[in-house]
Amino acid sequence: MSILDLVRPSLAGMSPYKAAEQVVDTVRLNANESPFDTASEAFRRPLNRYPEIRPQRLRQLLSTRFSCNNDQLLVTRGSSEAIDLLIRAFCAADQDNILVTSPTFSMYAHYARVQGADVRDVPLVKGEDFELDEPALVNAIDRRSKLLFLCSPNNPTGTSLPRETIERVLEIARGRVVVVVDEAYIEFSEASSVTDLLQTYEHLVVLRTLSKALAFAGARCGAVIADATLIGVLDAIQSPYALSTPVVECVEDALTGDNIQRAEAQVSLLVSERERVRTELLALRTVSRIWPSDANFLLVEFANVESVLAATRDAGVLLRYFGGELTNCARISIGTATENDAMLAAVRATETTP
Ligand code: PMP
């Protein structure tokens, strides 16, 4: 079975939107653009012209960074857009379903609902490190299952799935469902990307983003990495000119020169701050548990989460509360040492207030 057999039948053979041709050193009278370039001083490319339909140099830079072939990668507006594209490519409304493993990133379920796809939840086993419930996962996959989202390191738990687990899931899923491994936070972990497994598993998709370790959330840039035939399908449904000229140039700059080294140094700093914050929080009576984290945040369980949230808010520090199965927990992103100290002081103060 080919991965294309799982794509919505109505999309079979769909070709990309035929945009106006773009050829260097030609007079462009084919795209109804303005001939007046008045707004471009801050940019290398003219803003009166449409951007490239797909940004080729950026694609090349990202393929090099994420160790895949050019034709295995599509540049997306954040990995959020990649999630949306995948669900639209595979799930027919009111028929197909996706599988998620809660607690996890809520955008998978969000975009499934937008598309009218059912969401099957196979909760992680909370315990020590939110393990995958493999027998339950096997039972949950049916003929209408199209995509299984695994997030590693997982948001909001911070825990990672061992590579062997991901490989076992890929074996189980072969010929049945596409496995999407979301590696948004992988740079903060010791684990290496599973992109190399694309050679073995045609039904593997990897998501990467520049929003976390590369510190470019405002640029909205990510990538979906998969078998070249599947990338062709996603390419056909992504909007033409999806990435704007200013974004393409700013991300190209981020991926060249000293920027990468600077980002790597920042990641090391955040990882060491994560461990300092963990140690300081664990010394507090109000903290009942902190899960191991491979990401730039900690999931912390408190005896008194309401007072922690109120105290941090009063101190001008925002934490993330999810409720549900994480009812006594808050997710705390790691900031600068000063920001982390402000958070720690506010949490500490809840232990002395009656
Ligand atoms: N995946 C995960 C696990 C995330 O936590 C996020 C953002 N919080 C995203 C994907 C989306 O990131 P972006 O669209 O900024 O690339």
Side-chain angles (χ1 to χ4, degrees):
M1 182 188 219
S2 144
I3 195 170
L4 292 182
D5 296 332
L6 291 166
V7 170
R8 278 166 55 199
S10 57
L11 296 182
M14 186 170 163
S15 29
Y17 168 75
K18 288 241 174 326
E21 229 186 329
Q22 297 178 333
V23 183
V24 282
D25 294 333
T26 51
V27 177
R28 277 165 67 160
L29 300 182
N30 62 345
N32 298 348
E33 297 158 331
S34 167
F36 306 114
D37 180 20
T38 44
S40 309
E41 263 162 43
F43 305 101
R44 297 186 286 276
R45 296 162 178 128
L47 284 198
N48 58 319
R49 302 293 174 191
Y50 282 100
E52 276 177 283
I53 303 148
R54 299 281 177 254
Q56 293 309 329
R57 174 152 184 264
L58 183 52
R59 183 189 210 188
Q60 179 63 60
L61 288 166
L62 289 173
S63 311
T64 306
R65 174 162 179 79
F66 298 142
S67 308
C68 64
N69 301 333
N70 234 1
D71 62 0
Q72 292 176 310
L73 182 142
L74 181 73
V75 186
T76 55
R77 288 169 285 196
S79 42
S80 308
E81 187 192 23
I83 297 164
D84 184 29
L85 290 176
L86 283 163
I87 292 175
R88 284 194 283 135
F90 284 96
C91 296
D94 302 324
Q95 290 181 34
D96 296 329
N97 65 67
I98 68 159
L99 298 120
V100 299
T101 60
S102 70
T104 193
F105 186 44
S106 57
M107 284 273 184
Y108 315 136
H110 173 87
Y111 282 123
R113 290 202 182 99
V114 172
Q115 176 64 12
D118 195 22
V119 179
R120 298 194 157 192
D121 187 12
V122 182
L124 298 169
V125 185
K126 199 165 173 185
E128 286 301 301
D129 52 4
F130 285 99
E131 271 169 38
L132 197 64
D133 186 343
E134 291 177 49
L137 192 62
V138 173
N139 285 334
I141 300 174
D142 72 7
R143 278 184 34 256
R144 306 275 13 163
S145 301
K146 294 294 165 82
L147 298 162
L148 160 60
F149 285 90
L150 299 178
C151 188
S152 184
N154 184 34
N155 177 11
T157 64
T159 50
S160 293
L161 294 172
R163 193 182 174 87
E164 310 80 75
T165 306
I166 295 174
E167 285 196 66
R168 267 201 310 279
V169 172
L170 282 161
E171 288 296 340
I172 293 164
R174 200 194 285 277
R176 301 174 71 192
V177 65
V178 175
V179 179
V180 184
V181 181
D182 184 343
E183 297 186 333
Y185 299 95
I186 190 130
E187 290 93 338
F188 299 98
S189 119
E190 309 252 291
S192 53
S193 168
V194 294
T195 305
D196 61 304
L197 295 177
L198 278 171
Q199 290 168 356
T200 319
Y201 302 102
E202 184 213 25
H203 59 298
L204 168 65
V205 174
V206 179
L207 303 183
R208 299 291 300 255
T209 179
L210 275 66
S211 297
K212 311 295 174 185
L214 268 152
F216 267 74
R220 310 305 302 126
C221 184
V224 49
I225 304 166
D227 184 84
T229 50
L230 173 54
I231 292 298
V233 174
L234 300 178
D235 188 2
I237 62 174
Q238 188 187 35
S239 317
Y241 317 111
L243 280 288
S244 71
T245 297
V247 166
V248 171
E249 293 194 358
C250 111
V251 180
E252 282 175 357
D253 291 346
L255 293 167
T256 47
D258 299 339
N259 292 301
I260 294 283
Q261 275 141 308
R262 196 178 324 132
E264 282 169 2
Q266 289 166 350
V267 167
S268 306
L269 194 77
L270 290 170
V271 168
S272 76
E273 272 296 289
R274 179 184 77 202
E275 296 317 307
R276 177 181 76 90
V277 169
R278 171 200 301 286
T279 308
E280 300 213 14
L281 283 173
L282 280 173
L284 305 179
R285 264 176 296 117
T286 177
V287 172
S288 40
R289 184 175 198 178
I290 305 180
W291 279 271
S293 173
D294 281 336
N296 64 342
F297 55 82
L298 293 169
L299 182 67
V300 184
E301 189 174 66
F302 293 97
N304 56 341
V305 75
E306 290 87 0
S307 53
V308 166
L309 292 171
T312 47
R313 183 173 280 273
D314 285 350
V317 177
L318 302 181
L319 310 183
R320 191 78 183 260
Y321 178 71
F322 295 97
E325 70 219 281
L326 300 178
T327 186
N328 296 315
C329 303
R331 190 194 67 190
I332 305 179
S333 304
I334 303 300
T336 63
T338 312
E339 291 171 336
N340 300 333
D341 284 340
M343 178 275 297
L344 287 164
V347 177
R348 214 171 274 129
T350 65
E351 301 206 306
T352 48
T353 43

mmCIF file of all heavy atoms in Angstrom, residues 15 22 27 59 61 64 104 117 128 135 138 143 147 165 173 194 225 233 259 269 290 300 302 306 310 322 340:
data_model
loop_
_atom_site.group_PDB
_atom_site.id
_atom_site.type_symbol
_atom_site.label_atom_id
_atom_site.label_comp_id
_atom_site.label_asym_id
_atom_site.label_seq_id
_atom_site.Cartn_x
_atom_site.Cartn_y
_atom_site.Cartn_z
ATOM 1 N N SER A 15 -3.116 19.024 -9.088
ATOM 2 C CA SER A 15 -1.829 19.694 -9.294
ATOM 3 C C SER A 15 -1.829 21.058 -8.619
ATOM 4 O O SER A 15 -2.896 21.613 -8.323
ATOM 5 C CB SER A 15 -1.500 19.816 -10.774
ATOM 6 O OG SER A 15 -2.662 19.898 -11.519
ATOM 7 N N GLN A 22 7.608 33.052 -13.051
ATOM 8 C CA GLN A 22 8.581 34.005 -12.498
ATOM 9 C C GLN A 22 9.950 33.676 -13.079
ATOM 10 O O GLN A 22 10.514 32.627 -12.781
ATOM 11 C CB GLN A 22 8.615 33.905 -10.972
ATOM 12 C CG GLN A 22 7.278 34.282 -10.341
ATOM 13 C CD GLN A 22 7.265 34.143 -8.839
ATOM 14 O OE1 GLN A 22 8.003 33.337 -8.277
ATOM 15 N NE2 GLN A 22 6.427 34.907 -8.174
ATOM 16 N N VAL A 27 10.581 41.239 -18.032
ATOM 17 C CA VAL A 27 9.590 42.263 -17.693
ATOM 18 C C VAL A 27 8.320 41.518 -17.287
ATOM 19 O O VAL A 27 7.747 40.766 -18.081
ATOM 20 C CB VAL A 27 9.324 43.178 -18.922
ATOM 21 C CG1 VAL A 27 8.239 44.203 -18.580
ATOM 22 C CG2 VAL A 27 10.618 43.865 -19.347
ATOM 23 N N ARG A 59 13.905 26.769 1.247
ATOM 24 C CA ARG A 59 13.665 25.325 1.278
ATOM 25 C C ARG A 59 15.001 24.577 1.361
ATOM 26 O O ARG A 59 15.161 23.649 2.148
ATOM 27 C CB ARG A 59 12.923 24.921 0.001
ATOM 28 C CG ARG A 59 12.549 23.466 -0.042
ATOM 29 C CD ARG A 59 12.031 23.077 -1.411
ATOM 30 N NE ARG A 59 11.060 22.007 -1.335
ATOM 31 C CZ ARG A 59 10.578 21.375 -2.396
ATOM 32 N NH1 ARG A 59 10.930 21.730 -3.622
ATOM 33 N NH2 ARG A 59 9.713 20.393 -2.249
ATOM 34 N N LEU A 61 17.877 25.763 2.500
ATOM 35 C CA LEU A 61 18.502 25.996 3.810
ATOM 36 C C LEU A 61 17.860 25.109 4.883
ATOM 37 O O LEU A 61 18.541 24.546 5.737
ATOM 38 C CB LEU A 61 18.372 27.471 4.213
ATOM 39 C CG LEU A 61 19.246 28.463 3.435
ATOM 40 C CD1 LEU A 61 18.778 29.905 3.683
ATOM 41 C CD2 LEU A 61 20.708 28.309 3.838
ATOM 42 N N THR A 64 18.845 21.410 4.470
ATOM 43 C CA THR A 64 20.192 21.168 5.000
ATOM 44 C C THR A 64 20.126 21.101 6.525
ATOM 45 O O THR A 64 20.661 20.176 7.141
ATOM 46 C CB THR A 64 21.149 22.303 4.561
ATOM 47 O OG1 THR A 64 21.066 22.398 3.149
ATOM 48 C CG2 THR A 64 22.571 22.047 4.995
ATOM 49 N N THR A 104 -1.758 16.529 25.015
ATOM 50 C CA THR A 104 -0.812 16.875 23.961
ATOM 51 C C THR A 104 -1.227 18.196 23.318
ATOM 52 O O THR A 104 -2.212 18.823 23.735
ATOM 53 C CB THR A 104 -0.684 15.731 22.933
ATOM 54 O OG1 THR A 104 0.437 15.972 22.101
ATOM 55 C CG2 THR A 104 -1.931 15.602 22.060
ATOM 56 N N ALA A 117 -13.226 16.053 10.961
ATOM 57 C CA ALA A 117 -12.678 14.707 11.208
ATOM 58 C C ALA A 117 -12.864 14.369 12.689
ATOM 59 O O ALA A 117 -12.801 15.253 13.545
ATOM 60 C CB ALA A 117 -11.202 14.663 10.846
ATOM 61 N N GLU A 128 5.229 8.000 35.626
ATOM 62 C CA GLU A 128 6.536 8.658 35.700
ATOM 63 C C GLU A 128 6.780 9.602 34.535
ATOM 64 O O GLU A 128 7.268 10.695 34.689
ATOM 65 C CB GLU A 128 7.642 7.591 35.686
ATOM 66 C CG GLU A 128 7.773 6.827 36.968
ATOM 67 C CD GLU A 128 8.074 7.754 38.136
ATOM 68 O OE1 GLU A 128 9.103 8.451 38.073
ATOM 69 O OE2 GLU A 128 7.263 7.788 39.084
ATOM 70 N N PRO A 135 -1.019 -0.966 23.580
ATOM 71 C CA PRO A 135 -2.167 -1.842 23.278
ATOM 72 C C PRO A 135 -3.424 -1.039 22.968
ATOM 73 O O PRO A 135 -4.166 -1.353 22.023
ATOM 74 C CB PRO A 135 -2.346 -2.651 24.576
ATOM 75 C CG PRO A 135 -1.028 -2.569 25.272
ATOM 76 C CD PRO A 135 -0.410 -1.262 24.880
ATOM 77 N N VAL A 138 -3.256 0.331 19.425
ATOM 78 C CA VAL A 138 -3.547 -0.689 18.408
ATOM 79 C C VAL A 138 -5.060 -0.851 18.263
ATOM 80 O O VAL A 138 -5.597 -0.902 17.156
ATOM 81 C CB VAL A 138 -2.897 -2.043 18.785
ATOM 82 C CG1 VAL A 138 -3.323 -3.146 17.830
ATOM 83 C CG2 VAL A 138 -1.382 -1.910 18.815
ATOM 84 N N ARG A 143 -10.401 1.413 10.154
ATOM 85 C CA ARG A 143 -10.286 1.626 8.707
ATOM 86 C C ARG A 143 -10.367 3.081 8.311
ATOM 87 O O ARG A 143 -9.931 3.470 7.252
ATOM 88 C CB ARG A 143 -11.370 0.810 7.981
ATOM 89 C CG ARG A 143 -10.972 -0.646 7.799
ATOM 90 C CD ARG A 143 -12.003 -1.452 6.996
ATOM 91 N NE ARG A 143 -12.660 -0.668 5.953
ATOM 92 C CZ ARG A 143 -13.913 -0.185 6.042
ATOM 93 N NH1 ARG A 143 -14.627 -0.417 7.124
ATOM 94 N NH2 ARG A 143 -14.447 0.487 5.048
ATOM 95 N N LEU A 147 -4.407 9.658 10.376
ATOM 96 C CA LEU A 147 -3.191 10.269 10.913
ATOM 97 C C LEU A 147 -3.089 9.983 12.405
ATOM 98 O O LEU A 147 -4.077 10.112 13.129
ATOM 99 C CB LEU A 147 -3.234 11.790 10.734
ATOM 100 C CG LEU A 147 -3.288 12.333 9.302
ATOM 101 C CD1 LEU A 147 -3.764 13.780 9.321
ATOM 102 C CD2 LEU A 147 -1.909 12.258 8.653
ATOM 103 N N THR A 165 10.163 3.204 20.790
ATOM 104 C CA THR A 165 8.693 3.252 20.829
ATOM 105 C C THR A 165 8.161 3.794 19.505
ATOM 106 O O THR A 165 7.206 3.252 18.930
ATOM 107 C CB THR A 165 8.221 4.146 22.002
ATOM 108 O OG1 THR A 165 8.827 3.684 23.184
ATOM 109 C CG2 THR A 165 6.716 4.142 22.136
ATOM 110 N N ALA A 173 1.731 0.736 12.495
ATOM 111 C CA ALA A 173 0.930 1.626 11.641
ATOM 112 C C ALA A 173 1.101 1.341 10.151
ATOM 113 O O ALA A 173 0.300 1.808 9.344
ATOM 114 C CB ALA A 173 1.326 3.073 11.921
ATOM 115 N N VAL A 194 13.947 11.938 14.164
ATOM 116 C CA VAL A 194 13.678 10.647 13.515
ATOM 117 C C VAL A 194 13.612 10.784 11.990
ATOM 118 O O VAL A 194 13.229 9.838 11.299
ATOM 119 C CB VAL A 194 12.370 9.981 14.044
ATOM 120 C CG1 VAL A 194 12.523 9.589 15.497
ATOM 121 C CG2 VAL A 194 11.158 10.875 13.842
ATOM 122 N N ILE A 225 8.285 17.441 6.775
ATOM 123 C CA ILE A 225 9.280 16.601 6.113
ATOM 124 C C ILE A 225 8.670 15.212 5.927
ATOM 125 O O ILE A 225 8.178 14.610 6.898
ATOM 126 C CB ILE A 225 10.563 16.513 6.974
ATOM 127 C CG1 ILE A 225 11.098 17.932 7.247
ATOM 128 C CG2 ILE A 225 11.633 15.651 6.301
ATOM 129 C CD1 ILE A 225 12.142 17.991 8.331
ATOM 130 N N VAL A 233 1.632 16.274 -2.687
ATOM 131 C CA VAL A 233 0.204 16.462 -2.393
ATOM 132 C C VAL A 233 0.003 17.715 -1.528
ATOM 133 O O VAL A 233 -0.870 18.554 -1.791
ATOM 134 C CB VAL A 233 -0.371 15.222 -1.659
ATOM 135 C CG1 VAL A 233 -1.803 15.465 -1.213
ATOM 136 C CG2 VAL A 233 -0.280 13.987 -2.539
ATOM 137 N N ASN A 259 23.896 33.464 13.324
ATOM 138 C CA ASN A 259 22.624 33.294 14.036
ATOM 139 C C ASN A 259 22.425 31.914 14.620
ATOM 140 O O ASN A 259 21.892 31.759 15.714
ATOM 141 C CB ASN A 259 21.465 33.628 13.092
ATOM 142 C CG ASN A 259 21.446 35.097 12.762
ATOM 143 O OD1 ASN A 259 21.337 35.918 13.654
ATOM 144 N ND2 ASN A 259 21.602 35.427 11.502
ATOM 145 N N LEU A 269 21.686 27.678 27.310
ATOM 146 C CA LEU A 269 21.352 28.495 28.473
ATOM 147 C C LEU A 269 19.969 28.127 29.019
ATOM 148 O O LEU A 269 19.787 27.952 30.229
ATOM 149 C CB LEU A 269 21.352 29.961 28.027
ATOM 150 C CG LEU A 269 21.348 30.996 29.118
ATOM 151 C CD1 LEU A 269 22.756 31.112 29.700
ATOM 152 C CD2 LEU A 269 20.904 32.347 28.559
ATOM 153 N N ILE A 290 7.388 17.248 39.458
ATOM 154 C CA ILE A 290 7.778 17.871 38.183
ATOM 155 C C ILE A 290 8.173 16.733 37.251
ATOM 156 O O ILE A 290 9.033 15.915 37.586
ATOM 157 C CB ILE A 290 8.972 18.839 38.333
ATOM 158 C CG1 ILE A 290 8.684 19.902 39.400
ATOM 159 C CG2 ILE A 290 9.301 19.492 36.993
ATOM 160 C CD1 ILE A 290 9.822 20.904 39.611
ATOM 161 N N VAL A 300 4.514 21.253 36.112
ATOM 162 C CA VAL A 300 4.693 21.195 37.561
ATOM 163 C C VAL A 300 3.340 20.978 38.223
ATOM 164 O O VAL A 300 2.355 21.648 37.892
ATOM 165 C CB VAL A 300 5.312 22.521 38.074
ATOM 166 C CG1 VAL A 300 5.603 22.429 39.569
ATOM 167 C CG2 VAL A 300 6.578 22.862 37.297
ATOM 168 N N PHE A 302 1.239 21.235 41.676
ATOM 169 C CA PHE A 302 1.303 21.982 42.936
ATOM 170 C C PHE A 302 0.226 21.489 43.899
ATOM 171 O O PHE A 302 -0.835 21.002 43.472
ATOM 172 C CB PHE A 302 1.031 23.469 42.682
ATOM 173 C CG PHE A 302 2.098 24.162 41.869
ATOM 174 C CD1 PHE A 302 1.947 24.341 40.495
ATOM 175 C CD2 PHE A 302 3.249 24.641 42.488
ATOM 176 C CE1 PHE A 302 2.917 24.992 39.752
ATOM 177 C CE2 PHE A 302 4.224 25.294 41.742
ATOM 178 C CZ PHE A 302 4.069 25.466 40.377
ATOM 179 N N GLU A 306 -4.134 27.027 42.421
ATOM 180 C CA GLU A 306 -4.879 28.300 42.275
ATOM 181 C C GLU A 306 -4.084 29.444 42.888
ATOM 182 O O GLU A 306 -3.973 30.520 42.299
ATOM 183 C CB GLU A 306 -6.256 28.251 42.953
ATOM 184 C CG GLU A 306 -7.274 27.366 42.270
ATOM 185 C CD GLU A 306 -7.187 25.924 42.741
ATOM 186 O OE1 GLU A 306 -6.315 25.628 43.604
ATOM 187 O OE2 GLU A 306 -7.964 25.092 42.251
ATOM 188 N N ALA A 310 -2.540 32.721 41.016
ATOM 189 C CA ALA A 310 -2.917 34.082 41.425
ATOM 190 C C ALA A 310 -1.672 34.888 41.788
ATOM 191 O O ALA A 310 -1.524 36.048 41.380
ATOM 192 C CB ALA A 310 -3.888 34.014 42.602
ATOM 193 N N PHE A 322 -4.067 24.238 32.260
ATOM 194 C CA PHE A 322 -4.887 23.485 31.308
ATOM 195 C C PHE A 322 -6.125 22.852 31.928
ATOM 196 O O PHE A 322 -7.105 22.602 31.249
ATOM 197 C CB PHE A 322 -4.056 22.379 30.640
ATOM 198 C CG PHE A 322 -2.941 22.919 29.784
ATOM 199 C CD1 PHE A 322 -1.655 23.013 30.275
ATOM 200 C CD2 PHE A 322 -3.197 23.358 28.493
ATOM 201 C CE1 PHE A 322 -0.628 23.528 29.490
ATOM 202 C CE2 PHE A 322 -2.185 23.878 27.704
ATOM 203 C CZ PHE A 322 -0.898 23.962 28.206
ATOM 204 N N ASN A 340 12.850 34.000 35.339
ATOM 205 C CA ASN A 340 12.633 32.789 36.135
ATOM 206 C C ASN A 340 12.667 33.115 37.632
ATOM 207 O O ASN A 340 11.882 32.560 38.412
ATOM 208 C CB ASN A 340 13.683 31.730 35.806
ATOM 209 C CG ASN A 340 13.641 31.328 34.334
ATOM 210 O OD1 ASN A 340 12.585 31.428 33.708
ATOM 211 N ND2 ASN A 340 14.766 30.911 33.791
#
